[in-house]
Structures are given as structure tokens and as C-alpha cells.
Amino acid sequence: MDNLKYRHWFSCGVFLQRYQQNRVKEQKVIAGTASAKFDALKNQLDPHFFLTA
């Protein structure tokens, strides 16, 4: 019985760890996308964009 409890808690821990890792990856993708959109908009406003790109 103790072995079953241990395996259950271990599985829950692995699941939570993977869930958190996926959330971090997701947030990094969202941040990268937002940064790229911001840079694109910023470059549209910069009159020297064509000279420095």
C-alpha cells in the first residue's frame, strides 16, 4: 500500500513539474512574439529604418 502511495505522489510531482516547464516555454514564446511585434511597429515609426537595416 505504501508503494502505491509513493508512486501516486511521485507521478503527481512529475506531472506538475512538466506542467510548469510547459507554462514557462509558453510564456517565453508569448514574450518573444510580443517583442517581435513591438520591434516591427517601432521600425515602422523610425524614419531611418531603411538606412540602418
Side-chain angles (χ1 to χ4, degrees):
M1 188 67 170
D2 288 335
N3 189 20
L4 182 61
K5 288 180 184 178
Y6 173 76
R7 287 188 350 201
H8 173 73
W9 284 110
F10 180 77
S11 296
C12 288
V14 170
F15 171 79
L16 289 175
Q17 183 180 18
R18 289 180 182 167
Y19 176 77
Q20 290 174 340
Q21 288 172 347
N22 287 336
R23 293 279 294 163
V24 168
K25 288 179 186 177
E26 181 182 321
Q27 292 300 317
K28 287 181 180 181
V29 169
I30 290 171
T33 302
S35 177
K37 287 180 181 180
F38 175 74
D39 287 341
L41 288 172
K42 186 174 66 171
N43 288 333
Q44 287 177 1
L45 296 174
D46 188 2
H48 302 289
F49 171 71
F50 294 109
L51 298 175
T52 59

